[in-house]
């Protein structure tokens, strides 16, 4: 199901449609900045930021503000993104479970949005008194689920109101009246009771647009309550027929339709005016906050350390440092063992410009940082920087496996073990200067080093030729 929301007339909409001019207000000149509180609901065996790609969430927030731009409504993060570990919630199968948990974790006076891995089989649902639950897989660039659900939160019904749970077929006669199905969307107030109410089916000539469906006359009739594909003009690929036999095409450009995301691009003027009125008259608390001044983030952080060969500290951690960026409030630090970041090791959110993270593998790693703030989400991560973690050896002169010393251009190596060992000399940037053949057990050898710039190098001693296990040692050559 694309969406779950109460699918009948509510008192406020009826009241408004009776005399829209009475409630007129506009965000055209002074935009409405509305606070969103975002929650990441994650399973107990995974961290919140490992569970959800921050880039997807930032892209989704960027898209949300992009979609709402023509309406003069903008959203900002009220507080930092909150994480809640709950196995019951992150993948819940019924909306009632979602509602119960949403009510337990609410911030008053804002639009509460909860991101989950499974939203009762929907892409998202809006509970007028509790907030919005969103399935993470329906979020991101070019996706409009969040826009649609906030449309609901600001009182907009579907353009096909009344057809929820019913399937229109062009070969079957179109009814004049539909019954709202109150059982389709069970919320905590209506559980077993079946209440039916009738809805007029909207005509193509617009003659009953005020009473029928969503009550807006600039949203044409739409009977399609399932995900549908559109043509190049965002219209349905087949003609629908109203009960008078008049043919028409459904308009998939509207966010409140169920057309696929690629078709959707707008709210109508009447929908927009109704959202403004809802903010002012039904949810005025959204305007009670002093909103932050929107500040764009125009530069990227510079990644300072680590780069190249990097020693782990005593607790097997590496400290990541980057430059502060103007107007940034948070940084997302991502560490992976591949350049595309699909094999992620860490994703953490911090307001600091450094963080120490445990590194458990000696493989090459990549890291990058994304800066954002509570109003600016259209950001990209930095280009990745790479590093190779090295276990620090506390005694410079001796390895547990091998003794070695440096004198007059020669490295003297003694292998006291009973197995062959391999040795590499590398720069602190990770460039291998040379590697030895195996060192025969119980033997001392000396190796002439190539002419090198004086400085710090790393000697790696490994038990197999390619992938360790190795120990690493710092050596200062002069
Ligand atoms: Zn919906």
């Amino acid at each position: 199901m694309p969406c779950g929301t109460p699918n009948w007339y509510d008192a406020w909409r009826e009241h408004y449609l009776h005399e829209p001019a009475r409630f007129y207000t506009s965000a055209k000149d002074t935009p409405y900045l509305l606070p969103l509180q975002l929650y990441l609901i994650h399973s107990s065996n995974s961290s919140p930021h490992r569970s959800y790609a921050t880039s997807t969430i930032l892209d989704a927030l960027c898209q949300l503000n992009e979609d709402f731009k023509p309406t003069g409504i903008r959203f900002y993060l009220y507080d930092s993104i909150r994480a809640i570990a709950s196995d019951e919630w992150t993948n819940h199968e019924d909306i009632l479970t979602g509602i119960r948990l949403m009510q337990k974790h609410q911030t008053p006076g804002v639009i509460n949005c909860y991101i989950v891995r499974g939203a009762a089989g929907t892409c998202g649902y809006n509970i007028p008194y509790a907030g919005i639950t969103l399935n993470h897989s329906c979020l991101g660039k070019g996706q409009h689920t969040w826009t649609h659900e906030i449309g609901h939160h600001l009182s907009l019904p579907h353009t096909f109101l009344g057809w929820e749970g019913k399937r229109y077929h062009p070969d079957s006669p179109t009814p004049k009246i539909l019954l709202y199905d109150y059982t389709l969307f069970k919320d905590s107030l209506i559980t077993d009771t079946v209440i039916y109410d009738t809805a007029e089916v909207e005509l193509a000539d617009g003659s009953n647009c005020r009473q029928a469906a969503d009550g807006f006359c600039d949203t044409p009739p739409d009977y399609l309550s399932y995900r549908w594909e559109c043509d190049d003009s965002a219209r349905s690929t087949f003609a629908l027929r109203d009960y008078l036999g008049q043919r028409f095409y459904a308009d998939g450009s509207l966010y409140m339709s169920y057309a696929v995301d690629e078709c959707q691009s707008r709210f109508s003027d009447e929908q927009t005016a109704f959202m403004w009125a809802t903010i002012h008259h039904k949810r005025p608390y959204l305007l009670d906050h002093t909103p932050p001044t929107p500040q764009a983030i125009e530069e990227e952080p510079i990644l300072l350390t680590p780069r190249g060969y990097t020693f782990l500290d005593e607790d097997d951690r590496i400290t990541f440092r980057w430059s502060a960026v103007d107007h940034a409030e948070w940084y997302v630090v991502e560490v992976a063992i591949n350049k595309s970041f699909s094999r992620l090791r860490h994703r953490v959110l911090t307001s600091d410009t450094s963080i120490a993270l445990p590194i458990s593998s000696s493989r090459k790693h990549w890291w990058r940082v994304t800066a954002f703030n509570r109003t600016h989400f259209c950001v990209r991560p930095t280009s990745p920087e790479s590093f190779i973690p090295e276990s620090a050896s506390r005694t410079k002169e001796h390895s547990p496996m091998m003794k070695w010393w440096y004198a007059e251009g020669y490295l003297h190596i003694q292998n006291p073990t009973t197995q062959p060992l391999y040795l590499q000399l590398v720069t602190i940037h990770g460039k291998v200067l040379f590697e030895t053949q195996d060192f025969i057990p119980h033997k001392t050898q000396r190796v002439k080093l190539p002419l090198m710039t004086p400085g710090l190098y790393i000697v790696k001693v490994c038990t197999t030729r390619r992938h360790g296990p190795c120990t690493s040692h710092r050596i200062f050559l002069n």
Side-chain angles (χ1 to χ4, degrees):
M1 250 170 65
C3 152
T5 197
N7 52 314
W8 53 84
Y9 253 71
D10 72 2
W12 157 239
R13 189 161 58 242
E14 215 163 314
H15 196 52
Y16 172 83
L17 287 173
H18 190 67
E19 203 185 342
R22 194 152 77 84
F23 301 99
Y24 185 77
T25 166
S26 170
K28 284 276 186 231
D29 301 326
T30 319
Y32 292 156
L33 267 162
L34 307 186
L36 284 188
Q37 179 57 53
L38 199 54
Y39 303 82
L40 302 180
I41 316 303
H42 62 99
S43 59
S44 54
N45 60 10
S46 178
S47 77
H49 298 288
R50 284 289 291 274
S51 304
Y52 300 105
T54 323
S55 56
T56 307
I57 290 167
L58 292 173
D59 283 348
L61 283 163
C62 174
Q63 184 73 56
L64 178 67
N65 272 337
E66 197 60 42
D67 290 352
F68 269 89
K69 209 175 194 168
T71 69
I73 300 168
R74 264 186 89 113
F75 304 94
Y76 66 91
L77 290 178
Y78 178 68
D79 201 355
S80 56
I81 298 170
R82 284 192 206 147
I84 299 172
S86 170
D87 296 321
E88 183 193 16
W89 194 358
T90 190
N91 209 335
H92 58 284
E93 274 164 23
D94 64 288
I95 289 178
L96 278 176
T97 304
I99 293 173
R100 180 167 53 80
L101 293 162
M102 286 160 93
Q103 286 186 305
K104 235 173 101 178
H105 298 269
Q106 277 193 80
T107 303
V110 304
I111 303 175
N112 289 285
C113 297
Y114 305 86
I115 294 174
V116 297
R117 302 196 71 81
T122 69
C123 258
Y125 57 85
N126 165 62
I127 305 298
Y129 50 87
I132 293 165
T133 292
L134 296 156
N135 183 324
H136 79 113
S137 65
C138 301
L139 297 181
K141 219 177 180 62
Q143 305 219 59
H144 307 294
T145 294
W146 207 341
T147 303
H148 177 102
E149 295 307 329
I150 289 200
H152 282 318
H153 201 74
L154 300 177
S155 297
L156 293 185
H158 290 136
T159 48
F160 52 87
L161 183 68
W163 286 92
E164 287 91 346
K166 303 172 180 72
R167 187 141 185 131
Y168 171 79
H169 198 280
D171 296 340
S172 309
T174 303
K176 197 173 171 180
I177 294 289
L178 291 166
L179 300 176
Y180 293 127
D181 184 352
Y182 283 80
T183 60
L184 188 68
F185 184 86
K186 293 192 178 77
D187 71 9
S188 57
L189 302 174
I190 301 168
T191 48
D192 301 312
T193 329
V194 181
I195 307 162
Y196 283 116
D197 203 353
T198 53
E200 243 183 84
V201 171
E202 190 168 356
L203 288 165
D205 64 9
S207 56
N208 66 348
C209 60
R210 208 43 90 197
Q211 308 84 273
D214 57 9
F216 301 124
C217 289
D218 62 356
T219 61
D222 177 4
Y223 307 158
L224 306 179
S225 61
Y226 52 87
R227 269 277 183 259
W228 53 277
E229 304 277 343
C230 62
D231 65 11
D232 290 347
S233 353
R235 299 189 316 166
S236 57
T237 51
F238 61 93
L240 292 79
R241 207 182 290 273
D242 69 16
Y243 61 85
L244 298 178
Q246 181 72 45
R247 282 157 50 93
F248 67 93
Y249 294 87
D251 184 348
S253 70
L254 292 161
Y255 293 125
M256 299 318 291
S257 77
Y258 265 2
V260 296
D261 290 280
E262 295 76 56
C263 312
Q264 299 185 359
S265 63
R266 70 185 185 103
F267 290 108
S268 77
D269 290 347
E270 288 186 31
Q271 286 177 322
T272 301
F274 186 43
M275 289 194 286
W276 292 338
T278 297
I279 294 164
H280 251 277
H281 299 278
K282 194 187 172 193
R283 300 195 185 276
Y285 55 83
L286 293 173
L287 298 171
D288 279 353
H289 311 269
T290 307
T293 309
Q295 301 271 24
I297 290 177
E298 272 149 10
E299 45 172 346
E300 282 186 357
I302 298 163
L303 306 186
L304 303 173
T305 59
R307 324 168 75 128
Y309 264 90
T310 307
F311 281 95
L312 298 167
D313 66 14
E314 290 78 14
D315 303 318
D316 286 336
R317 296 180 312 173
I318 283 179
T319 301
F320 296 80
R321 289 175 215 282
W322 56 94
S323 65
V325 161
D326 278 353
H327 310 306
E329 283 175 86
W330 298 291
Y331 301 94
V332 184
V333 184
E334 293 171 294
V335 183
I337 52 166
N338 63 345
K339 213 176 174 178
S340 68
F341 287 81
S342 59
R343 302 184 67 191
L344 201 67
R345 287 293 173 265
H346 293 289
R347 184 188 288 124
V348 285
L349 195 60
T350 175
S351 50
D352 218 335
T353 53
S354 73
I355 191 166
L357 296 170
I359 300 290
S360 56
S361 143
S362 59
R363 298 178 60 157
K364 187 173 183 181
H365 285 61
W366 282 264
W367 69 290
R368 63 184 181 188
V369 175
T370 312
F372 70 103
N373 64 26
R374 63 190 64 225
T375 62
H376 189 79
F377 318 108
C378 307
V379 290
R380 297 257 66 87
T382 58
S383 303
E385 183 61 66
S386 66
F387 67 94
I388 300 163
E390 289 295 338
S391 307
S393 120
R394 291 191 185 85
T395 55
K396 190 174 136 194
E397 302 302 331
H398 299 284
S399 97
M401 293 190 290
M402 174 183 275
K403 284 180 180 158
W404 56 271
W405 61 96
Y406 170 72
E408 289 154 9
Y410 284 91
L411 201 58
H412 299 258
I413 305 149
Q414 194 178 43
N415 180 6
T417 72
T418 52
Q419 57 175 339
L421 293 171
Y422 302 89
L423 180 142
Q424 277 188 339
L425 185 71
V426 289
T427 67
I428 54 163
H429 301 295
K431 190 177 168 210
V432 179
L433 295 173
F434 78 83
E435 54 188 332
T436 62
Q437 299 299 313
D438 56 326
F439 279 95
I440 304 152
H442 302 297
K443 199 140 176 158
T444 305
Q445 254 175 287
R446 64 175 204 166
V447 179
K448 173 103 178 92
L449 293 183
L451 211 57
M452 286 178 302
T453 329
L456 193 63
Y457 293 85
I458 288 148
V459 174
K460 288 180 78 171
V461 180
C462 308
T463 51
T464 61
R465 195 162 182 76
R466 283 282 160 220
H467 294 295
C470 303
T471 55
S472 301
H473 315 272
R474 277 177 266 211
I475 177 172
F476 193 82
L477 300 177
N478 45 24

